[in-house]
Amino acid sequence: MAAAAVDSAMEVVPALAEEAAPEAAGLSCLVNLPGEVLEYILCSGSLTAADIGRVSSTCRRLRELCQSSGKVWKEQFRVRWPSLMKHYSPTDYVNWLEEYKVRQKAGLEARKIVASFSKRFFSEHVPCNGFSDIENLEGPEIFFEDELVCILNMEGRKALTWKYYAKKILYYLRQQKILNNLKAFLQQPDDYESYLEGAVYIDQYCNPLSDISLKDIQAQIDSIVELVCKTLRGINCRHPSLGFKAGESSMIMEIELQSQVLDAMNYVLYDQLKFKGNRMDYYNALNLYMHQVLIRRTGIPISMSLLYLTIARQLGVPLEPVNFPSHFLLRWCQGAEGATLDIFDYIYIDAFGKGKQLTVKECEYLIGQHVTAALYGVVNVKKVLQRMVGNLLSLGKREGIDQSYQLLRDSLDLYLAMYPDQVQLLLLQARLYFHLGIWPEKSFCLVLKVLDILQHIQTLDPGQHGAVGYLVQHTLEHIERKKEEVGVEVKLRSDEKHRDVCYSIGLIMKHKRYGYNCVIYGWDPTCMMGHEWIRNMNVHSLPHGHHQPFYNVLVEDGSCRYAAQENLEYNVEPQEISHPDVGRYFSEFTGTHYIPNAELEIRYPEDLEFVYETVQNIYSAKKENIDE
């Protein structure tokens, strides 16, 4: 009977939502149902928010069921934005109708801003103050971020430009939040020793689009601790560490009991779970990210040491970090409590080398040099993080293919957050902004990021006058050039000077010599690079030299190149090009070619028609041959 009543009512509700008068035919049938049945119907998922709004206006009983803080509007919110529910406590009073309205408004505002970015920043990197609109948004930031995530998760190969800028905005928002958290963390007193927390902030900042949290990483470490306890129980079933509760900071003083913990740890980490130092791919940034160390079960000395240290301390072994040159270590005190100790009263642990325990002489043998006693000393959290970020900075400087220098930019931000007066790094940051062309939206504005950095450098070290003066001059020259720019350059294929151009933007090409796949996003009737580039690239050795069309292409390896027409050919098996800047120029991938976004089409208004003709001739002919 109840099921029949529900089925009957489900048929009435849509009709009722269309009726304005409460005397509608199905009303009495609906409102006479038990409250639980009515609530079940209204939460069934078949009604939209607009439907609920209309239903609630029909009579007092339905209005009471659809009260703003009730289950009906909560279900509407949950179905529409499920990922947001984790931010609410079951015990909190929430006006779900109001939350729904605020989230809806935030979503519309987010889409409006994302849509504006392509037009505003197509010709250059998003500038330093390009995110000012976002910073001034009203409403919870989590709602805005959630809408950006929804855009990124849109299915299919469409809306590429929206996804491109949504990703940039989300990247910026999360990094700002993480950087603020890191700065607050660094203000903690020196005896605050949460090495793992600091390492997670670094991980989060360099991977802001990944779902990384201290809680999740700690949970993974806790599961390792449980395995160690299981092994430890087999060694000593009465070991005091087995009685520790989660979150306790108790320490074991007996060396023999500490040794049993370390033996159990070494077995679990290196024999059972197969953790190991990454000797084969040492210079990979993933080795420094704690979530990746846990996933891949490999890292470099400092990341492996932090994992080892965290587990040992949870089990009562007071290991300490040692900022040893070339190879980060941990030290384990063997001396009596309260005694005067020197470096020979410690055993040094190499977590990178499967927990091997070393003497002072063996430590020196490890790095092949004698070092002073000071380098065996313990370091605080800030020094450990400095070394981690310093490693990332070194890797960022080594980047070759990644022309956005994202790792270098991220590591510079992190280092300068800890040590804001590092003159050489400030200079490097200024040069990097200059090289990448990351300028503020209004270039003539006096509040330029680059000029701010340079002014700060000049204050810190007047001896850098020459380098600062050079960069200031070029920054001001850039501002003057920006003032003189008029409109966009439009290239028409029908123009006589473009008669030799054979290919068009959006086509998937293959390089004849190097074999890479790429997509064209721009072209010139002849080579527009300077004499030095032409000489260095040996363009004169080509049969047609520099007097032929050249194409700007996005390459599948993430690079951007400038290729001669005679070196390119159609790719008979077109595929998506996994380049980070594809969305900057194209709105959709059709399976055979890319469709330019509005900004690129303005610059090449006649190319799309040519692309359609080419695709029809090349790929349709191929399909016919296969069918035959």
Side-chain angles (χ1 to χ4, degrees), residues 286-320:
L286 298 181
N287 293 323
L288 283 152
Y289 304 144
M290 294 308 296
H291 84 284
Q292 287 290 346
V293 171
L294 289 166
I295 291 171
R296 300 162 72 236
R297 301 190 180 184
T298 189
I300 59 174
I302 190 167
S303 57
M304 295 291 289
S305 293
L306 290 185
L307 176 61
Y308 199 99
L309 172 73
T310 303
I311 295 171
R313 288 194 169 193
Q314 282 189 222
L315 292 169
V317 183
L319 300 184
E320 299 173 300

Side-chain angles (χ1 to χ4, degrees), residues 196-267:
L196 180 65
E197 184 179 352
V200 170
Y201 282 133
I202 291 172
D203 190 350
Q204 290 174 329
Y205 191 82
C206 294
N207 303 281
L209 300 184
S210 300
D211 189 13
I212 302 165
S213 71
L214 178 60
K215 180 180 178 182
D216 290 342
I217 288 177
Q218 184 62 62
Q220 293 179 63
I221 291 176
D222 289 344
S223 67
I224 297 175
V225 170
E226 288 180 13
L227 291 175
V228 175
C229 286
K230 184 177 179 180
T231 300
L232 187 59
R233 194 171 287 110
I235 299 173
N236 181 356
C237 64
R238 295 183 178 181
H239 197 285
S241 294
L242 299 175
F244 288 174
K245 296 180 180 179
E248 281 188 352
S249 57
S250 302
M251 289 296 161
I252 301 168
M253 305 309 346
E254 294 84 352
I255 298 297
E256 177 59 30
L257 293 176
Q258 292 178 7
S259 180
Q260 291 173 359
V261 172
L262 298 182
D263 288 343
M265 282 177 55
N266 289 342
Y267 171 74

Side-chain angles (χ1 to χ4, degrees), residues 454 458 464-474:
L454 296 176
Q458 185 70 17
Q464 298 290 339
H465 177 76
V468 171
Y470 173 83
L471 288 169
V472 168
Q473 177 186 347
H474 282 270

Side-chain angles (χ1 to χ4, degrees), residues 486-505:
V486 288
V488 299
E489 182 183 5
V490 176
K491 296 180 180 178
L492 302 174
R493 294 186 62 86
S494 58
D495 195 315
E496 177 62 22
K497 63 182 179 182
H498 300 151
R499 65 182 183 276
D500 294 330
V501 176
C502 294
Y503 308 128
S504 295
I505 57 168

Side-chain angles (χ1 to χ4, degrees), residues 61-75:
R61 183 149 191 250
L62 290 174
R63 184 164 59 251
E64 290 174 352
L65 277 170
C66 299
Q67 59 180 303
S68 58
S69 59
K71 185 177 179 181
V72 174
W73 277 111
K74 179 180 180 180
E75 185 63 13

Side-chain angles (χ1 to χ4, degrees), residues 295-354:
I295 291 171
R296 300 162 72 236
R297 301 190 180 184
T298 189
I300 59 174
I302 190 167
S303 57
M304 295 291 289
S305 293
L306 290 185
L307 176 61
Y308 199 99
L309 172 73
T310 303
I311 295 171
R313 288 194 169 193
Q314 282 189 222
L315 292 169
V317 183
L319 300 184
E320 299 173 300
V322 177
N323 208 8
F324 204 64
S326 304
H327 200 102
F328 200 90
L329 296 171
L330 301 170
R331 73 179 191 182
W332 175 27
C333 182
Q334 304 294 294
E337 185 178 2
T340 302
L341 305 174
D342 61 23
I343 61 173
F344 298 100
D345 292 311
Y346 293 89
I347 287 176
Y348 299 88
I349 296 176
D350 179 12
F352 182 82
K354 296 189 175 183

Side-chain angles (χ1 to χ4, degrees), residues 322-561:
V322 177
N323 208 8
F324 204 64
S326 304
H327 200 102
F328 200 90
L329 296 171
L330 301 170
R331 73 179 191 182
W332 175 27
C333 182
Q334 304 294 294
E337 185 178 2
T340 302
L341 305 174
D342 61 23
I343 61 173
F344 298 100
D345 292 311
Y346 293 89
I347 287 176
Y348 299 88
I349 296 176
D350 179 12
F352 182 82
K354 296 189 175 183
K356 185 177 181 180
Q357 297 177 5
L358 308 171
T359 64
V360 170
K361 283 291 183 184
E362 288 171 328
C363 289
E364 294 180 350
Y365 179 77
L366 181 67
I367 63 171
Q369 67 181 80
H370 174 72
V371 296
T372 62
L375 294 175
Y376 289 89
V378 67
V379 288
N380 61 19
V381 173
K382 191 172 182 179
K383 288 294 184 182
V384 172
L385 299 187
Q386 178 187 12
R387 179 148 175 178
M388 289 190 82
V389 175
N391 286 338
L392 288 170
L393 191 58
S394 297
L395 295 175
K397 291 176 182 178
R398 294 162 61 104
E399 284 181 334
I401 292 175
D402 182 10
Q403 297 184 351
S404 70
Y405 293 94
Q406 192 62 58
L407 180 58
L408 180 56
R409 291 159 62 184
D410 291 344
S411 53
L412 277 171
D413 289 343
L414 288 167
Y415 206 104
L416 290 170
M418 293 187 286
Y419 301 96
D421 296 337
Q422 291 285 320
V423 171
Q424 292 303 319
L425 295 185
L426 286 166
L427 270 173
L428 177 59
Q429 190 179 55
R431 291 190 184 102
L432 188 59
Y433 276 116
F434 182 79
H435 171 74
L436 294 173
I438 303 178
W439 307 98
E441 186 176 0
K442 297 179 180 178
S443 297
F444 51 86
C445 179
L446 292 177
V447 190
L448 286 170
K449 177 71 173 178
V450 175
L451 292 180
D452 282 348
I453 295 171
L454 296 176
Q455 185 177 10
H456 186 48
I457 294 170
Q458 185 70 17
T459 303
L460 292 172
D461 185 358
Q464 298 290 339
H465 177 76
V468 171
Y470 173 83
L471 288 169
V472 168
Q473 177 186 347
H474 282 270
T475 301
L476 294 174
E477 287 176 357
H478 170 82
I479 293 173
E480 291 302 316
R481 287 196 300 272
K482 293 289 289 183
K483 286 181 183 179
E484 296 170 1
E485 287 181 3
V486 288
V488 299
E489 182 183 5
V490 176
K491 296 180 180 178
L492 302 174
R493 294 186 62 86
S494 58
D495 195 315
E496 177 62 22
K497 63 182 179 182
H498 300 151
R499 65 182 183 276
D500 294 330
V501 176
C502 294
Y503 308 128
S504 295
I505 57 168
L507 289 174
I508 310 296
M509 310 298 292
K510 195 176 191 68
H511 197 279
K512 295 178 181 178
R513 182 176 179 184
Y514 299 118
Y516 61 71
N517 298 314
C518 59
V519 57
I520 296 171
Y521 70 96
W523 50 257
D524 297 310
T526 59
C527 182
M528 301 299 290
M529 301 299 281
H531 295 298
E532 185 177 352
W533 185 90
I534 291 173
R535 183 176 64 254
N536 290 340
M537 300 303 293
N538 204 22
V539 173
H540 292 299
S541 66
L542 297 172
H544 297 288
H546 68 283
H547 296 295
Q548 62 174 309
F550 271 70
Y551 298 85
N552 300 104
V553 295
L554 302 176
V555 184
E556 58 192 345
D557 64 6
S559 64
C560 304
R561 306 192 187 184

